[in-house]
Amino acid sequence: MAHERPVAVPARLRASWQRSERYGVPPDEVQPVFTGTVDEGSLFYECGSEVLRGLHATLANEPVSLMLTDSEGFVLSRLCGDSTILRSLDRVHLAPGFSYAERNAGTNGLGLALADRAPSLVSAEQHYCSGLWGYTCAAAPVLDPATGALLGSVNLTTWSQSSKELLLAVAQAAAGNTAALMMARGSGHAARPAPRGEVFRVYSDRLPEPRLSGAWQDALAEAEGAIARGRVVVVSGEPGVGKTVLASAARRAVRPRERVLNARPPAPQDADAWLALWTPELGKPDTCVIISGVDALPVSAAEELAAALSAVPAAVPAPFTLTAEDPAAIPDVLGELADTVVEVPALRYRPDDVEPLARSFAGRSRFTPAAMRALQAYQWPGNVRQLRDVVRQAATRADVIDTRHLAPEVFTGGTRRLTRMEAVERDEIVRCLTQPGASVAKAASLLGMSRATIYRKIAHYDIKVPGRSRHG
């Protein structure tokens, strides 16, 4: 390290310094990457900017710069009423269009918040680069309330000699308010539950019974072959596509009597307890751990996990398999352990799988031809998990599932996020159109709309009910 002054460094900061050194970040000069472009069209930018504008009005006379960054650390916006600190920040390029990710600017508040997905405070000499010693940076990550994906961060920067006791709390509140505002303006879906780091045993009877399509079988065969050769496999794919199911099935094919555990990612603050809970299982005979969502792990937890996995004696097959939505987002220390990436195709690319999966999820319930056509026509952005939830919910309503028993989302083709009021209106229109003997005229009467209005609404929400034209 190039720091000349002694400074107490917490463990998270020490790990960040070590990463900064590995990345080759200059310790005496800030050299962030400049992109020159800022995405101002996202819901995250809209809501984050609104929250920061309100906060800026409160802190207008304070020497605090309020910033919004994307998930790569690029500064999207900056608000500050103090010209002195603004000029100073310009000199170190902490400005819109520049990236302050760890690998570009070394240890700093927003870079650490993004790397560890946890609120972070970095003050004075705790920064890796001496050019930042004059500042205190408090940042908190913003996660998508529906998917849990990392969207970016809220960052507050002030002089290092200023009071910083409340700075991190303000950053956390702003990040939470941004996510809440996104939820209010989004589709009205329930927020994704916070990660809890569950660890459970995967039983063979939980695997799908139906014979699935060639695309699924090809991915399964690729995973089986790689596991049998002792390769460390990453099973990738969109949320809900069946990554853990495929990994489990592949392990069972290679080692039928193997005990398979699944470790799901924890909240950042629970990472140490999560690792201590299940990593002792790695050394046990005939045991495999499927570690899910490694691309969502905080970098500090990924480094501890990589150390634990590297300490496991080599074996064929390897005693662990990984899953990730985006293999490119896996922290480097874990990515270096992986030998093979197997992608599970999204359900929309496997239309032949909809019917056998739906019949499996329905249990003793059956489908009318119209209901099955509706299921097969839908694009399933939530993949197999969404299909399972829709079918199981319908099966609680009827032994013979018709279109009126299916969730309204199945009859819409639009991908635009709906407000809560729009979602309620769409659902009511679908409910009326899927009743026995329904017509547009009857639906209009039930809803108190003119036929012309309901036709416009059907087109607006891209509603499609099998067996009924928009003019029927």
Side-chain angles (χ1 to χ4, degrees), residues 303-378:
E303 291 180 333
E304 292 185 45
L305 174 58
L309 297 179
S310 298
V312 177
V316 178
F320 59 91
T321 298
L322 313 177
T323 81
E325 291 179 19
D326 179 9
I330 297 175
D332 293 343
V333 288
L334 281 177
E336 292 168 358
L337 298 178
D339 301 311
T340 303
V341 176
V342 176
E343 183 177 4
V344 183
L347 187 57
R348 61 183 172 277
Y349 302 129
R350 299 154 38 204
D352 291 343
D353 287 346
V354 172
E355 181 172 355
L357 284 170
R359 295 193 185 283
S360 175
F361 295 143
R364 296 181 179 180
S365 296
R366 297 180 291 110
F367 296 91
T368 65
M372 185 55 69
R373 286 195 299 270
L375 295 177
Q376 292 172 320
Y378 187 52

Side-chain angles (χ1 to χ4, degrees), residues 441-472:
K442 290 181 180 179
S445 177
L446 285 170
L447 294 169
M449 298 179 180
S450 69
R451 291 183 63 178
T453 298
I454 201 167
Y455 280 130
R456 285 197 300 271
K457 298 290 186 181
I458 289 171
H460 176 71
Y461 295 124
D462 195 14
I463 296 172
K464 302 179 181 72
V465 179
R468 180 173 294 115
S469 72
R470 287 181 178 172
H471 304 288

Side-chain angles (χ1 to χ4, degrees), residues 79-124:
L79 293 173
C80 182
D82 188 298
S83 59
T84 302
I85 196 169
L86 280 175
R87 287 194 297 269
S88 179
L89 292 176
D90 283 341
R91 287 195 290 272
V92 294
H93 312 296
L94 188 46
F98 287 91
S99 172
Y100 256 67
E102 273 187 347
R103 64 175 58 250
N104 298 321
T107 303
N108 67 90
L110 74 88
L112 184 58
L114 294 172
D116 282 355
R117 299 191 180 211
S120 301
L121 180 71
V122 178
S123 182

